[in-house]
Amino acid sequence: MTKHSDRSRRQEPEHKKKLAKQRPEDRSGSPRLSTELLWTYGPGILYRCGPLLLGRWLVPQVIADALVEARRPVPASVIGALLLDTGATNTCISNRAANDLGLIPTRVQDGFGAGGRHRNPVYLARLEMTIADEKAQQTFGWEQEVQGIPDLEKHAPGVAMLGEERAVVGLLGRDILRHARFLYDGPAGSLSFTFEVASLQHAPSRL
């Protein structure tokens, strides 16, 4: 998964993504109650990089609509790794991803991390995560204010996901993780992650 792992990145089968152990719809046709993702990294990679999932950042819908109406190009989404961070109250975006999207800070906010207190820009952005297999897929999206984190892409340089190097573009905080269950299996080097759709529909990511 990363060039700093105990084995070569070319040995990808060890840490390939196994997608969507999904519960099928019931006979009434109601939507799935949960969607499960199993990602096997390998013990060394999970230890060095932490649990990572794929996601993508987009400009807010109102901005995308305005650009389309003005016949101007909409910035391409920024796809990358999201680090699960139970220590983060709110989900965050990397400053580099925000800059790639052309986002303008709405304000500045205090943030607290391992290095102490920081003043971080706040952006309005949309985050999407898709879980899919050969039969179906579900996309989960959140449009909200997120803090920008400097140099987040340096957390796991050279990380490879699904055969491509991906920068770390965000932190998945408790505002979203409160709708999920996950099991961090250190000895196996794997993570199982389940979104509870009913919880997502009952309450937005922000309290």
Side-chain angles (χ1 to χ4, degrees), residues 178-206:
R178 70 193 182 103
H179 302 298
R181 295 187 180 93
F182 51 94
L183 174 63
Y184 180 105
D185 190 335
S190 66
L191 174 79
S192 62
F193 186 91
T194 302
F195 270 130
E196 291 296 331
V197 177
S199 177
L200 284 164
Q201 292 173 342
H202 180 263
S205 58
R206 284 285 190 263

Side-chain angles (χ1 to χ4, degrees), residues 22-35 135-138:
Q22 298 179 330
R23 301 177 188 175
E25 295 182 355
D26 63 24
R27 293 181 181 179
S28 66
S30 61
R32 296 179 178 86
L33 298 179
S34 64
T35 304
K135 298 180 180 179
Q137 69 178 25
Q138 286 183 279

Side-chain angles (χ1 to χ4, degrees), residues 32-191:
R32 296 179 178 86
L33 298 179
S34 64
T35 304
E36 182 181 357
L37 169 71
L38 174 63
W39 196 309
T40 302
Y41 308 85
I45 295 167
L46 188 59
Y47 165 71
R48 294 177 186 275
C49 300
L52 300 169
L53 299 176
L54 271 177
R56 64 173 184 159
W57 292 104
L58 304 94
V59 297
Q61 191 61 50
V62 64
I63 294 179
D65 292 343
L67 291 172
V68 170
E69 185 175 352
R71 297 184 179 180
R72 296 173 57 189
V74 177
S77 61
V78 176
I79 301 173
L82 303 170
L83 175 65
L84 271 66
D85 189 352
T86 59
T89 305
N90 297 320
T91 295
C92 302
I93 187 174
S94 69
N95 279 341
R96 175 177 289 184
N99 291 336
D100 288 345
L101 289 172
L103 301 179
I104 299 175
T106 58
R107 56 191 173 90
V108 177
Q109 178 176 304
D110 285 337
F112 299 88
R117 177 179 175 180
H118 304 278
R119 296 283 286 171
N120 295 325
V122 176
Y123 305 94
L124 180 62
R126 179 171 178 81
L127 173 64
E128 291 186 352
M129 296 177 63
T130 299
I131 298 176
D133 63 9
E134 298 86 355
K135 298 180 180 179
Q137 69 178 25
Q138 286 183 279
T139 297
F140 304 93
W142 304 265
E143 189 166 303
Q144 60 195 38
E145 285 190 326
V146 287
Q147 284 194 49
I149 306 297
D151 300 326
L152 193 55
E153 64 279 355
K154 296 179 181 179
H155 169 75
V159 66
M161 305 181 80
L162 296 181
E164 295 185 39
E165 289 194 5
R166 300 290 189 185
V168 178
V169 296
L171 303 176
L172 205 60
R174 296 196 303 272
D175 55 341
I176 292 178
L177 293 178
R178 70 193 182 103
H179 302 298
R181 295 187 180 93
F182 51 94
L183 174 63
Y184 180 105
D185 190 335
S190 66
L191 174 79

Side-chain angles (χ1 to χ4, degrees), residues 1-10 15 45 48-49 154 156-160 165:
M1 184 135 181
T2 170
K3 61 186 178 183
H4 299 295
S5 64
D6 298 331
R7 298 184 180 183
S8 168
R9 283 194 300 115
R10 288 179 291 183
H15 46 80
I45 295 167
R48 294 177 186 275
C49 300
K154 296 179 181 179
V159 66
E165 289 194 5

